[in-house]
Amino acid sequence: GDLFHRQQLEVPPLVQAGERVTLMYRSKMLEASVSAVALESGALGDTVRMKNESSKKIISGVITAQGIVEVKS
C-alpha cells in the first residue's frame, strides 16, 4: 500500500467563507452569542475573520466546532 504523510491529508473546513456562524463571546463574568458571517474558511483551531451581522464590525475568533467561532476577552 501507499504511505500517506500528514501534509498530504486535507482537513475539511468546519466553517466556510460566506457561511452564517455563531459567534461565542466568553469572559469570566459573561457568555453571549451572536450571529456572524465568516469571511474566511477554516478548520478546528484556526483563527478566522467574521462580520458581526448586528454591528457590521469585523472580528477574529477561533473555530471550536462546526459553525461555532469563539472570541475570548
Side-chain angles (χ1 to χ4, degrees):
D2 293 332
L3 292 177
F4 287 98
H5 297 282
R6 248 189 192 171
Q7 297 88 339
Q8 294 173 305
L9 300 177
E10 188 173 322
V11 177
L14 291 179
V15 169
Q16 296 280 353
E19 174 182 42
R20 182 170 283 140
V21 297
T22 300
L23 175 59
M24 299 292 299
Y25 173 81
R26 291 194 175 127
S27 70
K28 291 180 182 178
M29 304 293 287
L30 175 71
E31 183 174 310
S33 64
V34 67
S35 183
V37 175
L39 301 176
E40 303 168 311
S41 298
L44 184 66
D46 287 347
T47 299
V48 293
R49 293 179 311 126
M50 300 147 298
K51 185 175 187 177
N52 181 319
E53 292 188 318
S54 306
S55 68
K56 307 298 185 211
K57 290 186 179 181
I58 306 298
I59 302 165
S60 292
V62 177
I63 299 170
T64 58
Q66 178 78 45
I68 308 290
V69 182
E70 188 171 316
V71 175
K72 293 182 183 175
S73 64

